[in-house]
Amino acid sequence: QVQLVESGGGSVQAGGSLKLSCAASGYIFSSCGMGWYRQAPGKERELVSRISSPGTTIYADSVKGRFTISQDNAKNTLYLQMNSLKTEDTGVYYCAACNLPTRPHYWGQGTQVSVSS
């Protein structure tokens, strides 16, 4: 079955960096788009960034210029490099695959990112 396993979350001060990873298995990695969503406390889950099968990348306005999404097809892994982190970036970050952005078919378990001032 399809599995998405995130890692790389943690606690960091504002201005710092983190790199999230999402290891995928159980399907052809490059066959459909993937992305990162996040859910802040008390808020709805939102799309942070996604990459389509042809390699097109899209970012939420709030993270443009600070976050970079990438994928390594040889390692079946999706990444999210997060720089210049802000307190409002705090939340649980989820990896998702296929049928983005409307209704992803697959989700990871989430990884916590906490940014303090």
Side-chain angles (χ1 to χ4, degrees):
Q1 71 275 22
V2 175
Q3 279 194 316
L4 302 175
V5 180
E6 302 100 333
S7 61
S11 298
V12 65
Q13 287 193 324
S17 297
L18 286 173
K19 186 173 184 177
L20 305 183
S21 300
C22 173
S25 62
Y27 74 108
I28 300 173
F29 181 74
S30 59
S31 64
C32 59
M34 296 188 71
W36 292 95
Y37 290 72
R38 70 185 177 190
Q39 187 164 19
K43 295 188 177 181
E44 292 187 354
R45 191 175 299 187
E46 63 173 352
L47 177 67
V48 175
S49 179
R50 64 185 176 98
I51 185 166
S52 63
S53 293
T56 302
T57 57
I58 293 175
Y59 297 92
D61 288 343
S62 59
V63 307
K64 281 181 182 175
R66 300 187 297 120
F67 290 12
T68 303
I69 191 171
S70 62
Q71 63 185 55
D72 185 332
N73 291 338
K75 295 182 178 180
N76 286 359
T77 301
L78 180 74
Y79 302 101
L80 185 69
Q81 176 68 48
M82 305 186 294
N83 298 328
S84 302
L85 283 161
K86 303 177 180 181
T87 55
E88 51 263 45
D89 295 318
T90 293
V92 179
Y93 283 68
Y94 298 90
C95 174
C98 303
N99 204 40
L100 276 67
T102 52
R103 191 172 294 180
H105 288 165
Y106 308 109
W107 292 94
Q109 82 287 353
T111 186
Q112 176 70 46
V113 171
S114 298
V115 184
S116 60
S117 58

